[in-house]
Amino acid sequence: MPIIDVTLAQGRSDEQVRKLIHELTHAACRAIDAPPASVRVIVHEVPATHFAAADVTIAERAAAEPDA
């Protein structure tokens, strides 16, 4: 049973998250010939203040952008 665990910064619509789940499920089915009923997708959404790269959070990076 494939388990796909995804972590995203918050801010996407329910429709976008649903599409991601759909696409990941079907990718697993194609790649390893898994039956769809066996594929599990877990989506974790975290606040932009809790998601960082290079010691800068997404929120900090957005605030520093000229368009913000």
Side-chain angles (χ1 to χ4, degrees):
M1 164 185 356
I3 300 173
I4 303 168
D5 195 345
V6 180
T7 302
L8 299 170
Q10 287 176 334
R12 289 168 180 83
S13 69
D14 289 343
E15 292 80 17
Q16 289 174 311
V17 174
R18 184 65 189 92
K19 183 175 180 179
L20 177 62
I21 291 168
H22 173 80
E23 295 294 335
L24 290 171
T25 299
H26 288 281
C29 293
R30 287 190 306 273
I32 62 171
D33 201 26
S38 74
V39 179
R40 307 293 187 259
V41 178
I42 303 164
V43 178
H44 304 274
E45 291 186 282
V46 297
T49 55
H50 294 181
F51 199 125
D55 197 30
V56 179
T57 68
I58 293 172
E60 292 166 337
R61 186 165 286 121
E65 290 178 1
D67 308 287

